[in-house]
Amino acid sequence: MNQPRADMYGAFLRRRLAVIAALLSAAGCMQPGPPLPEEAQAKLEEFDAQGGYRPERIYATNEARETWKHVRTDLDVSLIAPTTGGHFPLVVYLPGLGEDATAGAFWRRSWAAAGYAVFTVQPAALGKVFWASDKLDAGELRATGRTYFSSASLESRLSHLAWALGELRQRAAIPGSPYAVADPAKTAVTGFDLGAQAASALAGEAVKAAFPANAEFNFAGAVVLSPHVTLAEGKLDERAAGMAMPLLAVTGTDDDDPYGMSATSLRSALWQSMPPGGKYLLVLQGGTHDALAGVEPGQKWKGPPSQPVPGEGSEGGGWMPWSREDLTLQVGQRSGPGGARNGSAGGPSGGAMRPADRPLRKRGPDVRHWAEVASVSTAFLDLVLKGRERARDWLSRDAGRWMGASAELRHK
């Protein structure tokens, strides 16, 4: 790597790690003994430098947010993209329930800095679902989930998305428009939580919801963060049979369903039933549902409020500060005989997720997971939307060695 490119990547890495370090600092008041931000940044920089994916170029970015109106529905939209001129492949991000168009900021900014125009759309009402709620019990959460993850809700969201993408294409064709940086001819769809349900349907999952007439959904690939999978929606092999496009599914061994509609083990079940060809599954060891939301430093996930878990304080099942133990685990350590969690393409394809030793208490996300999701998803997008063979090589050969026991990457 030449010196200017190395300096730009170093600056990008320092900004990215500063985000995580700031989150550590914000959490520091919650219990004694948190690592210093400088300590956290040093550990993360060391981890990323040992093999994280490096985009070919790092861009400065700019973000804009607007409200669009479709029929009688306000749509909260945002676009973050490189500030330099030109057209960039489009990444559509669909937030989770209770989130607005600023959601997933860590993921979106990582992708934009790697050379993508990231467009987020969310019906404004869905971002306000939990505003009036302090705590919801299990029954209330389940009822909420059944309402918003229903086929009728999915149909409505797909209709709004189809219109928003048509509007985006029109605006992108206008010279000088802030949306002109987006290239709708090269598009991937990504989503988390509620957005993951829609992203999976757009990737070819057979769902009971009807797609809007004349909708132009031309996606080259999909990234599904915390897949929504319930057995009530039908047999997995039948639902996954049409999922032919390249797809990256991301989950964790503690990726519990806050709505109680599914089991953690089902998060990877749909991926296992998909036909082979460009399919990747990233499993974060100890990764939780809210860890996949990519929230900003000092902020909490805007998902459902829940009753506190005994021994975890008044905030319920959410963030807890990282301990020094979390930061000093050896990079590259293995679990299981013979280092079986190697994450390489030659590993088990679509096999059942092996349970691993879990912490006795629920803690915040392992800080390495931020770098792992950002690196793996960016490499996947570079492969699918830019045709970068270097990204394919990194995913198949280097990613597993880099992540070690912290995560496992499977490919079929």
Side-chain angles (χ1 to χ4, degrees):
M1 180 181 292
N2 59 42
Q3 189 60 39
R5 248 179 68 192
D7 292 343
M8 288 185 67
Y9 180 76
F12 163 71
L13 183 59
R14 286 190 294 274
R15 288 196 302 270
R16 196 171 82 178
L17 296 175
V19 166
I20 306 172
L23 182 54
L24 291 172
S25 179
C29 61
M30 298 173 65
Q31 76 176 31
L36 298 173
E38 296 81 4
E39 177 186 356
Q41 181 165 335
K43 291 293 182 182
L44 286 163
E45 188 168 355
E46 177 185 2
F47 174 56
D48 207 47
Q50 290 185 13
Y53 180 74
R54 298 192 175 192
E56 292 193 356
R57 179 178 174 183
I58 303 302
Y59 295 85
T61 63
N62 185 52
E63 185 168 7
R65 185 181 180 189
E66 295 182 331
T67 298
W68 294 355
K69 200 172 192 68
H70 177 219
V71 192
R72 293 182 297 274
T73 300
D74 287 340
L75 300 180
D76 188 9
V77 303
S78 68
L79 180 76
I80 180 170
T83 56
T84 59
H87 297 283
F88 299 91
L90 177 65
V91 176
V92 177
Y93 183 76
L94 306 176
L97 183 59
E99 296 184 318
D100 56 29
T102 66
F106 192 80
W107 315 143
R108 295 186 298 111
R109 291 178 181 177
S110 294
W111 299 334
Y116 294 95
V118 186
F119 177 70
T120 304
V121 57
Q122 175 82 308
L126 296 184
K128 304 174 183 177
V129 167
F130 301 115
W131 280 18
S133 302
D134 181 23
K135 299 292 181 183
L136 298 178
D137 62 27
E140 292 170 321
L141 283 171
R142 189 173 296 109
T144 300
R146 287 175 176 170
T147 297
Y148 289 101
F149 284 86
S150 67
S151 297
S153 174
L154 178 58
E155 285 183 16
S156 176
R157 285 179 278 123
L158 291 176
S159 176
H160 293 314
L161 176 61
W163 178 86
L165 290 179
E167 182 71 12
L168 174 65
R169 280 190 285 268
Q170 293 181 25
R171 299 189 183 206
I174 301 174
S177 164
Y179 298 94
V181 296
D183 181 3
K186 300 176 181 177
T187 306
V189 62
T190 65
F192 164 71
D193 187 74
L194 190 70
Q197 181 197 35
S200 187
L202 293 165
E205 181 185 356
V207 295
K208 297 177 182 178
F211 278 55
N214 303 317
E216 295 184 22
F217 293 129
N218 298 314
F219 297 110
V223 177
V224 183
L225 299 160
S226 191
H228 175 73
V229 183
T230 66
L231 296 179
E233 296 170 357
K235 295 181 179 179
L236 294 176
D237 55 350
E238 296 176 358
R239 287 158 51 190
M243 304 182 76
M245 72 171 62
L247 182 144
L248 167 65
V250 184
T251 185
T253 58
D254 292 340
D255 185 7
D256 299 327
D257 180 6
Y259 307 101
M261 300 171 63
S262 181
T264 303
S265 59
L266 287 178
R267 299 285 193 194
S268 62
L270 189 65
W271 182 89
Q272 295 176 31
S273 299
M274 294 177 194
K279 304 298 193 304
Y280 295 87
L281 173 67
L282 177 62
V283 181
L284 306 175
Q285 175 61 29
T288 59
H289 188 65
D290 52 6
L292 298 174
V295 297
E296 282 279 66
Q299 297 181 1
K300 294 181 181 179
W301 176 44
K302 296 178 180 179
S306 60
Q307 296 290 354
V309 176
E312 290 190 358
S314 61
E315 297 299 328
W319 302 103
M320 293 193 73
W322 292 269
S323 66
R324 282 187 169 83
E325 176 189 2
D326 295 320
L327 293 170
T328 55
L329 288 173
Q330 292 184 357
V331 175
Q333 78 177 60
R334 305 292 183 186
S335 66
R341 292 178 61 86
N342 57 22
S344 68
S349 177
M353 198 184 306
R354 293 190 305 278
D357 292 336
R358 298 189 181 186
L360 296 178
R361 65 180 179 88
K362 185 177 179 181
R363 65 177 74 185
D366 186 326
V367 292
R368 294 170 298 184
H369 293 164
W370 291 64
E372 289 160 349
V373 175
S375 279
V376 171
S377 61
T378 300
F380 176 81
L381 292 172
D382 273 3
L383 173 60
V384 171
L385 295 180
K386 297 180 180 179
R388 300 277 164 78
E389 287 301 317
R390 185 175 66 85
R392 187 194 307 274
D393 292 342
W394 184 86
L395 288 167
S396 63
R397 183 186 63 218
D398 302 325
R401 290 199 296 266
W402 171 58
M403 295 185 295
S406 176
E408 179 181 6
L409 182 64
R410 305 178 190 178
H411 172 234
K412 64 178 181 179

